[in-house]
Amino acid sequence: MPHQHDHSSEHPQAPINYRKAFAIGIALNVSYVAVEAVFGLFAHSLALVADAGHNLSDVLSLLLAWGASEFGQRKPSKRFTYALRNAIILLIAIGAIAWEAFQRFSQPQEVPAVTVMVVAGFGVLINAATALLFMSGRHRDLNIKGAFLHMAADAGVSLGVVLAGLAIKLTGQYWIDPAMSLVIVAVIAIGTWGLLRESIRCALQAVPEGVDLEKVENYLAALPNVTAVHDLHIWPMSTTQTALTAHLEMPNGSGGDEFLHCICQHLHDEFQIEHCTIQIEQCAEACSLAPERTA
């Protein structure tokens, strides 16, 4: 039984110089999270505490984006377990913030508006500076584009905290602080829910969202001289790369390098599947994974 394998050679990666950009962005955000959390607690500002949580999610997003760029070839189970655990922790944390915010609506606490504005203002600068680190590569790499858009959006969230502080300063209405914290909680929840869903799918090695397994199988089954397809598996290797393995039954032909290359190229172009391993079988009965052998 001849076995033939082919691997697609296209592995999208961020340019090497983006390693420094990721390192700087992560360092800036980790430092700011610590500062913002401390000032938020001492100033009794839920908006600052919530924004600290939001910037903590930035750190996680940057770590995952960096990992996807650098370690796309490695087995992803540990990285996605990490993402899954942190997504759950973030959801628990924002739940506690939301509960405290609702409590404060009935008993608003005095908040130093100027402190809120100054600390959040630094957040605008840090998030904007981090976004600029990725701006030049946003058109060439989807992973870099995601980091850029995420940080740019977060600069807008920090600006919202600045405006909330200004509103408190002008009106003396301290309920604005917990109200702003709920807005930030909603933003974190939306982003974290997407991360949680993706992490669970990856942890279970489910077919990535956007890839139609039935269409892939139909394409393979319709190839010349292919009489059946079995042991077809599609799973995520990382947040940006998808892998496929399949056995093709070809009693009257063994394919060849050009045949396999064309399959992998089509799977890449049509279904965004970057890593393909195809096994050709002239006698499927000899394969231990054939349906009649595994039933």
Side-chain angles (χ1 to χ4, degrees):
M1 179 176 65
H3 292 181
Q4 298 189 33
H5 302 270
D6 187 66
H7 298 268
S8 174
S9 60
E10 300 188 27
H11 306 295
Q13 295 181 347
I16 294 177
N17 62 340
Y18 281 104
R19 295 175 181 172
K20 186 175 181 180
F22 278 117
I24 293 173
I26 290 169
L28 286 174
N29 279 272
V30 167
S31 301
Y32 182 63
V33 165
V35 171
E36 192 173 29
V38 170
F39 273 93
L41 291 173
F42 278 99
H44 305 292
S45 172
L46 271 183
L48 285 181
V49 172
D51 197 40
H54 191 222
N55 281 282
L56 182 60
S57 71
D58 296 345
V59 174
L60 175 58
S61 296
L62 288 174
L63 283 170
L64 289 175
W66 192 1
S69 294
E70 295 289 332
F71 305 118
Q73 300 290 333
R74 297 186 181 182
K75 190 175 180 180
S77 58
K78 290 184 179 179
R79 182 160 69 253
F80 286 118
T81 299
Y82 171 80
L84 179 61
R85 181 175 67 247
N86 282 277
I88 293 173
I89 291 173
L90 276 173
L91 288 174
I92 294 173
I94 64 175
I97 293 172
W99 176 261
E100 178 66 19
F102 283 118
Q103 298 295 315
R104 287 199 182 185
F105 276 118
S106 58
Q107 295 180 328
Q109 294 189 21
E110 185 174 348
V111 176
V114 175
T115 299
V116 172
M117 293 169 63
V118 171
V119 175
F122 277 108
V124 175
L125 295 177
I126 288 174
N127 286 316
T130 305
L132 289 175
L133 293 174
F134 302 103
M135 186 170 68
S136 63
R138 70 189 189 279
H139 297 304
R140 298 189 299 270
D141 189 299
L142 288 177
N143 194 45
I144 299 300
K145 181 180 179 180
F148 168 76
L149 292 176
H150 191 87
M151 300 310 303
D154 292 344
V157 173
S158 293
L159 180 60
V161 179
V162 173
L163 296 177
L166 178 61
I168 294 172
K169 179 69 175 177
L170 295 177
T171 65
Q173 299 296 315
Y174 295 118
W175 62 264
I176 295 174
D177 182 75
M180 188 63 203
S181 72
L182 288 178
V183 172
I184 297 172
V185 161
V187 172
I188 299 174
I190 293 171
T192 304
W193 179 253
L195 175 63
L196 179 64
R197 184 177 59 182
E198 181 183 10
S199 299
I200 291 174
R201 290 181 65 87
C202 290
L204 296 175
Q205 293 195 328
V207 177
E209 190 171 351
V211 178
D212 191 321
L213 179 64
E214 185 176 355
K215 286 186 178 180
V216 173
E217 185 172 12
N218 289 339
Y219 160 72
L220 294 174
L223 290 169
N225 298 319
V226 173
T227 59
V229 177
H230 67 267
D231 199 37
L232 172 61
H233 299 284
I234 303 174
W235 74 97
M237 292 185 66
S238 72
T239 53
T240 59
Q241 297 186 34
T242 302
L244 172 149
T245 61
H247 292 203
L248 305 184
E249 298 178 27
M250 300 180 64
N252 300 319
S254 60
D257 290 344
E258 184 177 354
F259 175 72
L260 293 171
H261 174 74
C262 289
I263 294 175
C264 291
Q265 188 64 49
H266 183 87
L267 290 171
H268 176 273
D269 296 343
E270 183 68 22
F271 301 102
Q272 290 73 55
I273 299 174
E274 292 83 5
H275 297 262
C276 304
T277 301
I278 306 295
Q279 178 166 304
I280 305 297
E281 298 170 353
Q282 290 182 329
C283 180
E285 293 179 358
C287 178
S288 62
L289 298 175
E292 57 269 19
R293 297 289 297 276
T294 58

